[in-house]
Amino acid sequence: MAFIGFRCGRCGATYDPGEVRYVCPRDGAEGTLDVLYDYDRLRAALDPERLRAHPARSIWRYAPLLPLRPETLTRGEGAGPLQTVGWTPLYRAERTARRLGLRAVYVKDDGRNPTASFKDRASAVVALKAIEEGASVVTTASSGNAAAALAGMAAALGLPAVIFVPHTAPPAKIAQLLIYGARVYLVEGTYDEAFDLAIAAAEAFGWYCRNTAYNPFTREGKKTAAYELWEQLGGRAPDRVFVAVGDGNILSGIWKGFRDLAALGWIDRLPVLMGVQAEGAAALAHAWARGDPDARPEPAQTIADSIAVGRPRDARFALQAVRETGGAFLTVRDEEILQAMQTLAREVGVFAEPSAAAALAGLEKAVREGMVGEEEEVVVMATGNGLKDVPSAIRATGEAPRIPAAIPEALKHLRAEW
C-alpha cells in the first residue's frame, strides 16, 4: 500500500497514517485532509497498459491507488454491490455538442452505480475503511445520496449504519435508506445541522463517521471517476469537466484523481474544472468571485437537494481545484436545472436528478458566455439518477394527459392533437 499519510488543506501540516483520523488537530473541521501517496513507489510498480487490461470493471481495478490494505480490498471485491461500484458509462452526446457548437461533449452517467449515485464511490471506500479500523457502526449525514450509498454498502458488509438526513429529503431517498436496513433519523433542520449532529453522535458513541470531506477517504473514492475518464477517453484527459457542487468533495475528488495521473506521468495536463452551483446555494461560487480561500456559510435553498449546502465542508480544496486548473464557478437558476433534466433525457437518454442536471445547465451557461472553446472536448458529470426525485421530474415536464379508454373517444382526443 502506497498510502503514506495526510496533509492539512489549511495549515499544510502533515501526519502519519495512524496519527489522525478525520481532520487536522490544529484546525478542527476547517482543516480537511488530503491523503498522500508514495508516487515514486507507484510509478515503479504500476504499468498503465497492465491496468487497462485489468478484468475488474469497477473502482477496484485501481486498488494500488486506494488507501486500503490488500485484505480489505479483497473483501470489497466480493461483497454484493461493492463489486460493481464505478466503471459507469461515458456517453458521447453528439446532438448536444452540435447544438452547442462544440467538438465533443460526453456525459458520465454515475446514476448507473448500485445505489444510483456517484456517492457509491466514496461510500464503498469508507465502509471498507470502517471495517479495516474495526468499527462496529458507521454513520453519516446526507441530503440523501451519500446516505443511501453508505446504507447499501454497509448492508453488503453486514455493518450497522446510522443515518441523519434533513426531514425535507425526497421520499425516494429516504425509502432507500430504510430498505437497506439503516437506522434513519429525520433531522428537523438543514443538511448542515444534520452534518454537525452526525459528528457529535459519532464522538459520543464511538461510531465511524463517513461525513463528506470530514472523512478524508471520501475524496479517495470519488477520485476514481477521473481514472475512468482517462481510460474511457483513450488515455487522455478531457479539456474541461463540469461538476455540480454542494460540499465541493466531488470536484476536489476529480481534481485529486487527475493529479494522481499527472504525478504518475500518465497525463501531461489537467483538465479545466468547472464548478456549477444553484443560485440559491452558491457559497463556493461567491467565495471564488471574491477571491477568498474559503467559503462563508450562507442560507441554501434550491430544488437540487443534493447540492443544497450552506456551509461547504470541502471548500478549500474545491476552490483550489478550480483556480489551479484555470476553471470557474457558475451559478444556474432552478428553472435552468429543470430544463437541463429534460435536455439530458431527450438528447442523451440519461435520466438525471436535479443536482446532476445542474452540470449540463452550467455547460450551457458557459457556452452562452463564451467560456468554452469550439474545439474543446467537454465532460458533464451526471451524478445521480432521476428516480431519486420523481416529483422534480414531473415538475420539469408537467403531468401526462388522461384520455378515455374507449377507442372511439380516445382516437378523437388523439386526432385533435396529432
Side-chain angles (χ1 to χ4, degrees), residues 148-167:
L150 184 63
M153 301 304 132
L157 292 167
L159 183 64
V162 178
I163 307 294
F164 300 92
V165 294
H167 68 99

Side-chain angles (χ1 to χ4, degrees), residues 1 3 21-22 58-64 66-85 119-139 149-161 208-210 215 217-218 220-221 224:
M1 185 168 63
F3 162 44
R21 195 175 201 185
Y22 297 122
S58 69
I59 64 173
W60 310 121
R61 67 194 285 108
Y62 310 115
L66 295 173
L68 294 166
R69 298 176 192 143
E71 61 271 23
T72 310
L73 285 160
T74 300
R75 183 162 181 180
E77 291 167 349
L82 276 81
Q83 300 174 70
T84 56
V85 172
K119 305 299 177 64
D120 283 353
R121 297 175 183 274
S123 289
V125 171
V126 171
L128 287 174
K129 201 68 183 177
I131 294 287
E132 193 170 276
E133 296 199 9
S136 58
V137 175
V138 66
T139 188
L150 184 63
M153 301 304 132
L157 292 167
L159 183 64
Y208 188 73
C209 186
R210 178 231 181 270
N215 187 312
F217 300 113
T218 56
E220 298 309 296
T224 58

Side-chain angles (χ1 to χ4, degrees), residues 351-404:
F351 184 19
E353 67 170 339
S355 60
L360 177 62
L363 168 59
E364 293 183 334
K365 182 173 182 178
V367 170
R368 289 195 303 271
E369 297 186 357
M371 301 172 71
V372 183
E374 292 180 0
E375 292 302 310
E376 290 192 31
E377 187 174 54
V378 175
V379 171
V380 172
M381 300 300 302
T383 49
N385 190 279
L387 291 173
K388 298 269 193 172
D389 190 353
V390 170
S392 289
I394 294 173
R395 179 173 168 182
T397 61
E399 296 278 357
R402 296 180 65 171
I403 62 173

Side-chain angles (χ1 to χ4, degrees), residues 83-308:
Q83 300 174 70
T84 56
V85 172
W87 203 248
T88 54
L90 181 70
Y91 302 124
R92 184 155 188 158
E94 294 185 353
R95 291 166 60 195
T96 304
R98 286 197 300 270
R99 178 173 58 82
L100 296 177
L102 302 177
R103 179 170 67 87
V105 175
Y106 296 89
V107 174
K108 178 77 164 155
D109 185 9
D110 256 55
R112 300 287 294 276
N113 270 305
T115 77
S117 88
F118 190 103
K119 305 299 177 64
D120 283 353
R121 297 175 183 274
S123 289
V125 171
V126 171
L128 287 174
K129 201 68 183 177
I131 294 287
E132 193 170 276
E133 296 199 9
S136 58
V137 175
V138 66
T139 188
T140 197
S142 166
S143 59
N145 283 341
L150 184 63
M153 301 304 132
L157 292 167
L159 183 64
V162 178
I163 307 294
F164 300 92
V165 294
H167 68 99
T168 54
K173 295 184 179 182
I174 296 171
Q176 267 194 300
L177 304 175
L178 295 169
I179 205 70
Y180 285 130
R183 185 65 179 270
V184 181
Y185 294 95
L186 303 181
V187 179
E188 295 178 348
T190 65
Y191 162 71
D192 297 291
E193 290 171 314
F195 192 104
D196 292 336
L197 177 56
I199 292 174
E203 291 176 351
F205 300 107
W207 301 336
Y208 188 73
C209 186
R210 178 231 181 270
N211 275 14
T212 296
Y214 180 79
N215 187 312
F217 300 113
T218 56
R219 188 181 300 116
E220 298 309 296
K222 293 174 183 180
K223 74 180 184 180
T224 58
Y227 303 159
E228 290 175 22
L229 288 174
W230 165 73
E231 282 203 81
Q232 291 168 325
L233 290 173
R236 67 180 186 277
D239 295 306
R240 199 176 295 259
V241 182
F242 283 78
V243 185
V245 179
D247 271 308
N249 198 232
I250 293 179
L251 184 63
S252 76
I254 291 172
W255 181 51
K256 176 65 176 292
F258 282 114
R259 283 192 292 130
D260 283 352
L261 293 170
L264 291 169
W266 295 356
I267 58 174
D268 57 10
R269 61 172 179 80
L270 272 60
V272 174
L273 297 179
M274 307 291 285
V276 184
Q277 295 206 282
E279 281 190 352
L284 280 164
H286 296 155
W288 176 78
R290 291 190 302 264
D292 291 348
D294 210 335
R296 303 171 191 169
E298 299 179 6
Q301 184 65 47
T302 173
I303 191 173
D305 67 286
S306 293
I307 55 173

